Structure formats: C-alpha cells, structure tokens
Amino acid sequence: DAGFKGHDVIVHGATWGEDWLAGGVTERYRFGEDKETSNISINAIGIRRPDHVFYGLGPRTLQHDEARYASDSLDLFASLDLDLWRASRITATTGVRSVSFSDGATDQDDPTIVSQIGRDIYPTPPGFSSGYTIQYNQLVLAYDNRLPRPKPGSGVRVELTGFQGNDVRQNPASGFVRYGATVGGFYDLNDHGRVVSLSVQTMFADPLGKQPIPFTELISLGGYDYMRGFFPGRLIDRSAAVATLKYRWPIWSFIDGSMQLATGNVFGAHLEDFEPKLLRLSGAIGIESVGDPDNSIQLLVGAGTETFDHGTQIDSFRLLVGTDRGF
C-alpha cells in the first residue's frame, strides 16, 4: 500500500562481491473487490553470477560432466494477473530479456564450460557464443476448483502455458515457442490441510525457423518447479515429461511441511526419444512459508538420481535455506 491502497513497490537485492549481483524492482497495482488477488505489474530483474552449472543437453547427461559458466541477464516485463473463480487464474506477460555468457570463474574445482567443450565432452551449447536478446509473450491459463485455506484442499488443477520469443539480436531475427500442460489431483485427508496430490506435466520447445533455441530458453528441469532434488538447469532439452507425488501438511499458521517424489526427464523434440529406462527419480522434503508469494521462506533437502538405465544411483544432493527469488 505504497502511497495508496492496492499499490505496492517491492525491491530485492543480493550480492557476494562484484561477480555475484542480483536485484529486482516491482511496481504493482492490486485491483478487484478485495484488492488482494488480481494485479498488474511492471518488473525489472538483473542478475550477474559466474557459477551457473551445465551438464550437456539430453536425457543421458552425467553428473561428473558438470561445468560452470557465467552470465549477465536483464529482464524487463509487464504482467497482468487476473483472479477468476476459486483458485483459477489467467496470467499474461510481455517483456524483453537480454542474456550474455562467458566462461565460469569461481573458486570451486569444477571445470568451466569452455574447458569441457575443448575436451569434446559436449558441443558448444546453442546461444552460448553470441548470447541473445528476446522479445517475448507468455500466457498461462489455470483452472483450479480448490478453495483457499482454511477450507478443505481437495480439488483438480489444469494448467496450460504458452510462450513465444523472438531473438532480435540475430539477423534475421529467430524465434521459438514453448508450450505445455499440467494436470493435477489433490485430496485433503482430513479436511484440515493434509493434502496428497498427483500431477503430470509435459513441456515442449520448438524453433520457428532454422536458428536453434538458446540453451537457457529450452525446457529445463530442476530448481523450484519440477524435480526439485536437482539443481536448476541440471536437465535441459527440447521436451520433458514429469509425474510428481506430493504430500503437504500444516505445521504452523504460516508454515507447511512438504515432501515429494517425482520421476521424469528431458527428451528430444516432442518426446521423440522417450523410453521408461531413461527416467530419473527426484525426492525432496522440507518446510516452506505460505501466504506471501513475495517472500517465501524455505528449508529444503533433496536428491536426484541417474537414469534407470544407468543404475538409478543418487548423484545429486541439494540443500536450500532462505527465500526463493529465482536468483
């Protein structure tokens, strides 16, 4: 309520020296009957860090091929978020994102991406040498018949996502689309927030023309959304399929416990090389705050495995303590 009711100004910043910088500014206006759910916002996010990880593209990438790279990114976008019936929503976003890459420079012993390319571990990722600047548009349609807490959490959610980007740095400009669908069912065991859910997601990315899609704009698993036992960017390719079983329960008024087990992987275009033996497992358990999407506090421990075909051994461990801002 900066200045007047329904108007918010949100500022975030993080640093660990000049090579690790992140900041974000959001100006948001909330509207509607309660001035809490629907909103329109203008956002600016900038991130510089030298320790991103890359393992190659495709379902068979190995943990020991990990390499580091640096990037500078600036994302400017406007978003309209409309609250519909119950938990159903429509979110429309348009913006410009510019990203440049360079070899990683950290104090860790991991090799850099350029050194791994020189050893022929994998080819140069698309877009790494030139970077990219895209103008993009995204639309998310979500049907969700669940009621807000403290009411029972049983219900169904169906979400459709479409993303179109055009790389204006290329000559001629190159474009691509990403799209996907999620279907989930939720059952409240005692009508007091102890919810078991099962969801299935499929995601796809297709170029519009002959230029390849920049590797950081491909379908990615790991991090906050899908298969949380893996680091962000652990699995990257043209498509993905994931199934997630999750249990979430209230611990305190503003804190929930959660644990989940997921199986899935990334694949080539349109799941063309999908095989059950190429699936991986991801598990995670932790606590997270509820009620404030701007400052979600989390404590998470997770692990991920190699493919069933490779022995399903655990090779990824993830510990997250703090707030999740996508930095």
Side-chain angles (χ1 to χ4, degrees):
D1 295 323
F4 56 91
K5 184 174 177 58
H7 177 243
D8 302 329
V9 177
I10 306 163
V11 180
H12 289 85
T15 184
W16 194 257
E18 63 181 2
D19 292 329
W20 277 272
L21 298 170
V25 178
T26 296
E27 183 176 17
R28 180 175 62 195
Y29 174 65
R30 292 174 278 114
F31 59 90
E33 293 184 0
D34 55 5
K35 288 191 179 296
E36 290 295 335
T37 51
S38 297
N39 67 83
I40 185 170
S41 65
I42 300 174
N43 310 266
I45 298 175
I47 302 173
R48 164 179 287 180
R49 59 185 301 171
D51 63 334
H52 294 284
V53 290
F54 181 73
Y55 303 83
L57 303 179
R60 293 182 172 87
T61 56
L62 299 174
Q63 182 73 21
H64 62 65
D65 290 335
E66 178 183 87
R68 300 278 175 172
Y69 69 92
S71 76
D72 293 322
S73 66
L74 179 62
D75 199 352
L76 307 174
F77 61 97
S79 183
L80 174 64
D81 194 3
L82 296 177
D83 179 40
L84 302 177
W85 176 72
R86 295 193 175 182
S88 302
R89 306 188 72 81
I90 296 177
T91 303
T93 304
T94 184
V96 177
R97 178 161 56 244
S98 181
V99 183
S100 60
F101 304 102
S102 60
D103 214 13
T106 72
D107 295 330
Q108 305 180 49
D109 295 330
D110 296 329
T112 64
I113 195 169
V114 172
S115 66
Q116 293 289 70
I117 294 169
R119 298 188 189 104
D120 292 327
I121 302 300
Y122 32 69
T124 302
F128 179 80
S129 300
S130 60
Y132 62 92
T133 300
I134 62 169
Q135 188 284 319
Y136 64 88
N137 304 285
Q138 178 172 280
L139 182 64
V140 180
L141 306 175
Y143 166 82
D144 194 325
N145 65 355
R146 289 175 294 172
L147 294 168
R149 292 171 64 175
K151 296 178 180 178
S154 298
V156 174
R157 181 178 179 87
V158 179
E159 183 175 298
L160 303 176
T161 301
F163 180 101
Q164 177 270 329
N166 187 49
D167 188 353
V168 298
R169 193 182 300 186
Q170 298 290 335
N171 188 19
S174 61
F176 62 92
V177 292
R178 292 198 306 262
Y179 50 97
T182 301
V183 178
F186 304 81
Y187 180 68
D188 195 328
L189 298 177
N190 62 354
D191 290 340
H192 287 84
R194 298 181 177 273
V195 179
V196 176
S197 64
L198 177 65
S199 62
V200 177
Q201 300 89 20
T202 55
M203 295 161 280
F204 306 91
D206 293 325
L208 300 176
K210 297 181 179 180
Q211 294 288 345
I213 303 172
F215 74 103
T216 50
E217 297 291 337
L218 290 167
I219 303 301
S220 176
L221 299 179
Y224 182 75
D225 290 323
Y226 307 107
M227 302 191 75
R228 298 185 68 184
F230 291 104
F231 288 121
R234 171 62 182 89
L235 303 168
I236 303 175
D237 209 340
R238 288 274 305 275
S239 64
V242 181
T244 304
L245 179 65
K246 184 175 181 178
Y247 176 53
R248 184 162 179 158
W249 67 97
I251 296 177
W252 188 46
S253 299
F254 302 103
I255 297 179
D256 278 358
S258 68
M259 58 182 177
Q260 61 177 261
L261 178 66
T263 183
N265 206 344
V266 294
F267 301 95
H270 308 125
L271 303 175
E272 64 181 6
D273 50 356
F274 177 88
E275 294 183 59
K277 66 181 181 180
L278 294 180
L279 297 176
R280 301 171 183 263
L281 294 176
S282 167
I285 187 170
I287 60 174
E288 52 190 281
S289 62
V290 297
D292 187 355
D294 297 321
N295 295 281
S296 177
I297 301 172
Q298 300 182 32
L299 170 61
L300 173 74
V301 178
T305 76
E306 293 288 4
T307 63
F308 294 144
D309 189 41
H310 202 267
T312 329
Q313 66 269 31
I314 294 176
D315 66 354
S316 175
F317 175 79
R318 185 176 181 223
L319 174 65
L320 171 66
V321 181
T323 60
D324 185 89
R325 290 297 309 170
F327 293 163

